[in-house]
């Protein structure tokens, strides 16, 4: 009988150790993180016809995250402007803005549920580095998520070039973030 008790005790201890080992190797709960997508677009300065390069290579990273019942969306614009951008600085644009949008993902066209125009992009573009490079963060939008609904970040750039007399040109569109 004593051997049976010892075997039962050993089995209980081994089971407890196995359970502890299983718990210690289990992955911790995943923390919320942004889901992002970066896309590029090259834009020609229509007001400049000189011999130097005048294209602005734009990269936009759009991100969305679901956390605590809210959807957070943000965007960062990076650019490699023409090396002459520093020479023309504040005379390059009349206006420039990044329109950040939080959209509800549905079949068909995704409706915008929150949006903000970030006009600080003009200043950032016109105050690029001496090589014409820079970046601009459009900040973060916060939106109360509906249960069972899915959302994404989207956005576009609008440029009004100085000297072309045309106002804002057609928006420069970028691919939306993954759906969260």
């Amino acid at each position: 009988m004593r051997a049976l008790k010892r075997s039962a005790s050993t089995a209980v201890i081994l089971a407890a150790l196995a359970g502890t080992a299983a718990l210690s190797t289990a992955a911790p709960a995943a923390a919320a993180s942004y889901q992002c997508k970066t896309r590029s677009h090259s834009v020609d300065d229509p007001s400049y016809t000189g011999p130097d390069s005048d294209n602005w290579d734009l990269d936009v990273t759009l991100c969305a995250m679901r956390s605590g019942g809210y959807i957070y969306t943000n965007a960062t614009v990076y650019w490699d402007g023409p090396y002459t951008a520093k020479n023309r600085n504040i005379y390059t644009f009349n206006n420039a803005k990044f329109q950040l949008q939080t959209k509800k993902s549905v079949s068909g066209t995704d409706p915008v549920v929150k949006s903000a125009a970030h006009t600080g992009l003009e200043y950032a573009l016109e105050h690029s580095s001496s090589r014409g490079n820079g970046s601009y963060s459009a900040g973060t939008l916060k939106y109360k998520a509906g249960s069972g609904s899915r959302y994404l970040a989207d956005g576009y750039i609008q440029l009004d070039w100085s000297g072309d007399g045309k106002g804002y040109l057609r928006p420069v569109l970028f691919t939306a973030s993954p759906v969260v």
Side-chain angles (χ1 to χ4, degrees), residues 2-154:
R2 186 172 189 144
L4 183 61
K5 283 185 181 179
R6 191 175 307 145
S7 296
S9 297
T10 303
V12 169
I13 291 170
L14 288 174
L17 289 174
T20 303
L23 288 176
S24 66
T25 59
S33 63
Y34 280 100
Q35 302 297 312
C36 302
K37 185 169 280 191
T38 301
R39 288 295 184 248
S40 303
H41 194 83
S42 186
V43 179
D44 180 64
D45 179 349
S47 67
Y48 180 76
T49 58
D52 293 320
S53 170
D54 64 345
N55 283 7
W56 291 73
D57 296 323
L58 305 167
D59 292 333
V60 171
T61 301
L62 288 158
C63 302
M65 174 179 67
R66 180 185 292 267
S67 179
Y70 289 90
I71 300 300
Y72 298 89
T73 55
N74 65 42
T76 305
V77 180
Y78 304 91
W79 61 88
D80 182 6
Y83 73 91
T84 58
K86 189 64 177 169
N87 299 338
R88 290 182 273 147
N89 60 38
I90 63 170
Y91 304 109
T92 305
F93 302 99
N94 289 328
N95 292 297
K97 68 178 177 179
F98 183 84
Q99 190 74 34
L100 177 60
Q101 301 171 326
T102 302
K103 291 183 173 182
K104 184 176 181 179
S105 180
V106 298
S107 62
T109 303
D110 298 326
V112 175
V113 295
K114 191 159 189 176
S115 183
H118 297 275
T119 57
L121 179 61
E122 177 189 357
Y123 181 88
L125 287 167
E126 291 181 334
H127 292 83
S128 299
S129 73
S130 61
R131 295 185 181 264
N133 304 327
S135 66
Y136 175 76
S137 175
T140 301
L141 296 179
K142 180 180 177 183
Y143 180 76
K144 179 74 172 160
S147 65
S149 296
R150 297 175 48 93
Y151 299 87
L152 55 96
D154 205 354

